[in-house]
Amino acid sequence: MTDTTTNEIWVFGDLRTRQLLDGSLKVLAKAAGLAGKTGDRVVMFSLAPHEANPLVASYDGACGIRETVEDEAIAWGADGVCLFENDRFSSPTPHLFADALAPAFKERSPRLVLFPLTDFGRDLAARSAAAARAGLMADCVELRAGEDGSVVGLCPAWGGEIMAEITYAPGHGTGFATVQPHSATVKKDTSRKGRVERVPLADIPASKGIRLVSSRPAPLSDNDIENARTVVVGGAGLGSMENFGQVRQLAAAVAGQVAATRPPVFSHWVAEDRLIGQTGKTVRPDLLISIGTSGAVQYTAGIMASGTIVAINRDPAAPIFRLADIGVVADAAAFLPLLISRIRQAIMRRLTDDMCADIPEQLAKRGFGEKIKALREAQGWSREHLAEATGQTPEFVADVESGEISPPVAFILRLSSAYGVDPGTFLRDEEKERIRDQRTQAYVNRTRNYSYETLTSGAEHDHLRAFMVTIEPHHDHKPVAYKHEGEEFIFVMEGELEFTLGSKVHILKKGESIHFHSNTPHKLKSRTAEMTRCLVILYTI
């Protein structure tokens, strides 16, 4: 490599996916900003098979024609686009690309070659710099022009505590750098014009010892933090694995994904695939909650594209507050339980409001069923688990989630109990009074009925009440038509009871008992030639 270089800054365009190309375009925008100060020309280069028409639009993993990479690159600041072509590029690997690019870098001698800060970009940059016997600046957050015309890279050092300024030695020849894609300031301009060059590469040496066996896109996952709309990040400030568990609880409460900085990953509080930052993943959620994180550069580089950032840290001088939209100075261990409780109460209040819609169409329009499903999935519950917790069937839960039916109040009350929320914390006074009136009227109805003997006189306003129920021989019990929110306990004092709960039949003999949710459909029948008497304990909410 000669010491003489052209006045060109080259940027690698990664065409493997739309998301990776977006990262390349952001690095391109940073290069355009630098070139505006150094007077250099910006070129985006990519590698593709012959006669390929790389596309920049992708819908659900399938490409759709909108505009070519060349158009997009020029709009984002490229003065030119260079497409190196060879059919072997249909299976991209860093060693193949590095071998193919080495002669081009030597022949054209660009001043600077930039790669997006990805695993592929790091590998390709290192191989290319080694082949050129040139310098490589790694993990640059920004690039700026020095007073002497040099290029200075701002790179985190000492665990992100400081920002080092790094440049190339005089007469260095082509310089290589990996660059964090975020925080680009140049705007897209579709009116720009530029030169497009296609360069066939005929002779690429075969790689020895490395062979691509197979390649396929990683399957989309519901636990993918990179595409999550809400992300909750825990840092070293949480202090223990137990406290980090509150991050998981908060993420479940807001239907978000759990992520972490490097210290919790090193401490095995969370899996490595949850790591965010320069050596981890980059996220773009609408809402990011950062808890116990100091705000080191290697972490914040991975959250710059977030919508709203909420930071919680006990240190008011923590750098994370300079980036956050909302800051809370508090001890996370003490603050998070309160925050989680309030969020859960707010969610239950909203569900209650939605359920009280006057007509089914309004209920469906508000997405009540979808909210129930999102809440269930955020907790990691199956339909069967939620059905058991609410005293319903899995089919009933499925119909609620699909918007086919509107559930009774009992469903919400039992859901809140399973969710860990006291109904008294989110129900309005008039709703509590209406439930209390139902309970009182039911008590009065029961005490007037011949088959009920009250054992708790004057308990019409109490939550816990007891009755003695008498059933005629070989007859069905005809209960008062009432469904209440709560639990029920039946103990057979005399005779033998056939008890149908939902679709399941239980045979209870003298001295046997059963406990169940009171809103689950149930029937009682005497199986003997004598009267059957049962002690019934009701607990209503």
Side-chain angles (χ1 to χ4, degrees):
M1 181 72 68
T2 64
D3 290 344
T4 303
T5 60
T6 63
N7 63 333
E8 290 185 340
I9 299 175
W10 284 24
V11 179
F12 172 62
D14 194 339
L15 305 182
R16 291 176 298 156
T17 69
R18 170 73 248 195
Q19 184 174 329
L20 292 171
L21 177 59
D22 284 342
S24 297
L25 295 173
K26 290 176 181 178
V27 174
L28 177 68
K30 286 189 175 184
L34 174 65
K37 299 176 181 177
T38 61
D40 293 316
R41 182 172 177 268
V42 179
V43 176
M44 192 181 88
F45 69 97
S46 296
L47 296 87
H50 285 109
E51 304 301 326
N53 180 27
L55 307 172
V56 300
S58 179
Y59 309 100
D60 298 327
C63 287
I65 297 177
R66 188 170 67 191
E67 56 187 332
T68 64
V69 167
E70 300 98 292
D71 297 331
E72 188 86 341
I74 292 169
W76 279 103
D79 299 299
V81 176
C82 184
L83 294 175
F84 295 102
E85 297 180 334
N86 186 290
D87 289 338
R88 290 177 60 191
F89 296 156
S90 59
S91 299
T93 60
H95 59 272
L96 172 63
F97 280 16
D99 291 343
L101 289 169
F105 291 151
K106 183 176 181 179
E107 176 186 350
R108 304 204 180 192
S109 298
R111 178 184 185 182
L112 198 60
V113 182
L114 307 180
F115 299 84
L117 191 55
T118 62
D119 290 341
F120 192 96
R122 284 192 180 98
D123 196 341
L124 179 56
R127 290 175 182 272
S128 298
R133 301 180 64 83
L136 170 63
M137 293 193 299
D139 302 349
C140 296
V141 176
E142 293 291 344
L143 295 169
R144 69 185 188 195
E147 295 181 358
D148 58 354
S150 62
V151 174
V152 178
L154 301 181
C155 306
W158 293 99
E161 296 298 323
I162 64 172
M163 192 69 70
E165 295 186 355
I166 303 176
T167 189
Y168 302 101
H172 60 82
T174 297
F176 293 79
T178 54
V179 181
Q180 173 59 241
H182 304 297
S183 303
T185 57
V186 174
K187 302 298 182 182
K188 183 177 180 180
D189 181 2
T190 55
S191 66
R192 297 185 79 257
K193 303 296 182 182
R195 177 188 174 191
V196 178
E197 181 182 7
R198 293 181 176 268
V199 181
L201 297 181
D203 299 321
I204 303 175
S207 300
K208 297 180 180 180
I210 300 177
R211 181 171 61 92
L212 179 65
V213 177
S214 66
S215 176
R216 64 179 183 271
L220 294 177
S221 169
D222 292 337
N223 296 323
D224 181 13
I225 64 174
E226 292 178 295
N227 296 307
R229 296 182 59 184
T230 303
V231 175
V232 183
V233 187
L238 286 161
S240 69
M241 183 182 293
E242 181 180 359
N243 289 340
F244 194 89
Q246 295 181 356
V247 172
R248 292 186 173 89
Q249 292 181 36
L250 179 58
V254 297
Q257 290 296 320
V258 175
T261 58
R262 185 156 290 279
V265 173
F266 277 167
S267 300
H268 304 292
W269 299 348
V270 66
E272 189 170 359
D273 64 356
R274 304 279 103 184
L275 177 63
I276 287 181
Q278 288 183 327
T279 55
K281 296 182 178 180
T282 297
V283 296
R284 303 166 181 81
D286 298 331
L287 171 65
L288 183 134
I289 305 175
S290 190
I291 307 163
T293 61
S294 63
V297 174
Q298 73 265 29
Y299 161 57
T300 57
I303 65 172
M304 297 299 292
S306 301
T308 299
I309 297 177
V310 178
I312 303 170
N313 197 298
R314 72 177 70 183
D315 180 8
I320 189 65
F321 287 127
R322 295 197 290 269
L323 181 65
D325 300 288
I326 300 172
V328 179
V329 179
D331 176 54
F335 179 72
L336 286 183
L338 299 175
L339 178 62
I340 293 167
S341 177
R342 291 298 180 88
I343 289 174
R344 287 175 173 174
Q345 290 171 21
I347 289 172
M348 294 309 305
R349 178 66 257 171
R350 190 174 303 166
L351 287 173
T352 303
D353 288 339
D354 287 346
M355 196 191 70
C356 292
D358 293 334
I359 55 177
E361 289 77 8
Q362 291 181 357
L363 192 67
K365 187 176 181 181
R366 294 183 184 188
F368 177 81
E370 294 175 1
K371 292 175 183 177
I372 293 292
K373 181 180 180 180
L375 176 61
R376 174 178 63 79
E377 292 179 343
Q379 308 310 306
W381 296 341
S382 64
R383 280 203 181 104
E384 290 73 16
H385 179 97
L386 182 56
E388 183 177 359
T390 56
Q392 300 293 345
T393 65
E395 292 76 16
F396 178 90
V397 173
D399 287 342
V400 170
E401 292 181 349
S402 65
E404 294 294 325
I405 62 174
S406 173
V409 174
F411 180 83
I412 288 295
L413 296 178
R414 292 195 186 116
L415 174 61
S416 72
S417 297
Y419 194 38
V421 179
D422 182 351
T425 62
F426 68 86
L427 289 177
R428 297 191 177 99
D429 290 340
E430 59 270 22
E431 292 166 337
K432 296 178 186 177
E433 185 175 349
R434 187 162 60 247
I435 293 173
R436 187 164 54 247
D437 289 345
Q438 282 183 323
R439 183 168 64 241
T440 301
Q441 186 59 47
Y443 179 85
V444 172
N445 290 344
R446 288 179 188 273
T447 56
R448 289 174 179 171
N449 191 278
Y450 76 96
S451 63
Y452 286 86
E453 176 187 353
T454 179
L455 303 179
T456 48
S457 179
E460 59 269 19
H461 297 297
D462 293 344
H463 291 277
L464 187 65
R465 288 154 297 157
F467 300 89
M468 185 66 70
V469 176
T470 302
I471 309 174
E472 296 289 336
H474 297 294
H475 277 66
D476 290 334
H477 171 52
K478 297 180 176 59
V480 177
Y482 172 69
K483 290 184 178 181
H484 60 86
E485 296 77 34
E487 302 172 62
E488 196 158 340
F489 170 86
I490 296 178
F491 178 84
V492 179
M493 302 286 292
E494 297 177 9
E496 187 173 310
L497 180 69
E498 179 181 302
F499 180 74
T500 304
L501 183 64
S503 58
K504 188 174 183 180
V505 177
H506 304 263
I507 304 300
L508 303 177
K509 297 183 179 181
K510 181 179 178 179
E512 294 182 336
S513 63
I514 190 168
H515 168 254
F516 57 97
H517 288 293
S518 304
N519 204 46
T520 304
H522 53 278
K523 298 178 181 178
L524 289 75
K525 180 179 180 180
S526 173
R527 288 174 50 88
T528 64
E530 299 176 353
M531 288 191 177
T532 297
R533 301 179 73 226
C534 303
L535 173 64
V536 178
I537 306 295
L538 303 178
Y539 176 79
T540 53
I541 298 175

